[in-house]
Amino acid sequence: MTASQCGNGNYLPLDTRMQVYAPVRELAGLGLSYRQIQDAVLKAHQVRLSKSTISMWVNGLHEPTGRLNSFRPNPTPELAYVIGVILGDGNLNIHGYNAELILAVTDHDFAEEFSRSLAKILHRERPYKIRWSERKNRWVVQGSSILLYKFLNCDWKSFKKWVEHCDRCRGAFLRAFYDSEGSISRRLVVSNTRRELLRYLQTLLKQANIETTSCA
Ligand SMILES: [Zn+2]
């Protein structure tokens, strides 16, 4: 048994651990077994991890350096804003190793606010890059975190606790909806879930003493 095959992974050089930590967490988030993760990491990165290392990383007992797009669902205005954006204009995507949170919009300020909020809740020092996509004809912000993805990939009702945490959280959530108003109203006509969401928004707005016109 070589050093890298045993123990808790601390025998691996730090940059190696850094390199495979995120993929391990992401693969686990996709429901792969430790054995499958082990094989995938070996194949893609030529690194053999023990199942105990994988288990510790997946269960959050042990992180290679502390934080790596780590996410804890602490109620903050930034999280409320991101929730609002994802329920509105934003998109969640899973492909390959990546769990992505994407916003593509024409309004640069909106992209900037999303970028800033996303970076804050994922403990990044700098906001995410805002790039112009010729193809989409929009500003695009793209972040990646399996933990945040899993948190956000739920029914909107499960977010109430975060949205209603305090006035600032509620305000940030509503602002996200104002910011993405255009495309929301289009989607809101489509489903009952969306209609319920719209009613919920109206309740929040009423609580904040803001007049609203009636919804469909
Ligand atoms: Zn709050």
Side-chain angles (χ1 to χ4, degrees):
M1 199 183 244
T2 66
S4 62
Q5 277 177 291
C6 60
N8 60 11
N10 281 331
Y11 299 100
L12 297 169
L14 180 62
D15 58 346
T16 307
R17 276 183 276 148
M18 292 284 292
Q19 189 197 348
V20 297
Y21 176 73
V24 164
R25 301 273 298 219
E26 284 165 7
L27 290 168
L30 296 174
L32 270 68
S33 71
Y34 293 168
R35 175 64 193 272
Q36 288 170 316
I37 294 172
Q38 207 175 29
D39 289 348
V41 169
L42 182 61
K43 207 172 163 192
H45 302 279
Q46 290 76 53
V47 175
R48 179 173 289 284
L49 294 171
S50 70
K51 283 182 196 163
S52 67
T53 297
I54 295 171
S55 160
M56 279 191 286
W57 287 359
V58 168
N59 296 305
L61 299 174
H62 197 99
E63 295 187 12
T65 58
R67 300 203 277 227
L68 204 107
N69 280 1
S70 66
F71 167 72
R72 306 256 183 295
N74 300 322
T76 58
E78 285 79 13
L79 180 55
Y81 189 84
V82 168
I83 291 171
V85 169
I86 293 300
L87 290 178
D89 265 353
N91 273 304
L92 295 171
N93 280 324
I94 281 254
H95 51 79
Y97 274 5
N98 270 325
E100 291 170 343
L101 304 103
I102 302 164
L103 180 69
V105 286
T106 50
D107 181 351
H108 190 271
D109 288 347
F110 182 16
E112 214 168 72
E113 184 68 12
F114 180 66
S115 153
R116 196 189 61 76
S117 299
L118 193 58
K120 179 102 187 269
I121 62 179
L122 293 177
H123 310 289
R124 303 236 317 181
E125 279 177 28
R126 289 191 206 155
Y128 282 91
K129 198 167 172 248
I130 301 165
R131 64 179 172 86
W132 175 256
S133 162
E134 288 292 347
R135 191 173 60 80
K136 292 180 178 166
N137 203 29
R138 276 172 170 61
W139 297 106
V140 178
V141 178
Q142 186 172 336
S144 169
S145 162
I146 185 67
L147 297 174
L148 180 57
Y149 173 90
K150 283 173 80 174
F151 173 81
L152 291 171
N153 196 27
C154 293
D155 185 82
W156 67 268
K157 288 186 193 108
S158 62
F159 301 133
K160 285 183 179 181
K161 180 181 152 194
W162 284 270
V163 170
E164 298 173 23
H165 172 254
C166 67
D167 284 350
R168 286 179 65 219
C169 290
R170 211 180 330 221
F173 178 76
L174 289 171
R175 200 150 39 76
F177 271 90
Y178 279 129
D179 287 346
S180 49
E181 200 175 21
S183 55
I184 282 192
S185 49
R186 274 203 310 278
R187 278 199 245 164
L188 281 169
V189 259
V190 184
S191 75
N192 279 325
T193 315
R194 287 280 158 181
R195 202 163 295 153
E196 263 184 274
L197 177 57
L198 184 54
R199 288 209 186 94
Y200 175 60
L201 279 169
Q202 286 192 309
T203 311
L204 289 179
L205 285 168
K206 248 174 234 157
Q207 284 166 2
N209 285 325
I210 299 166
E211 287 288 317
T212 55
T213 52
S214 68
C215 66

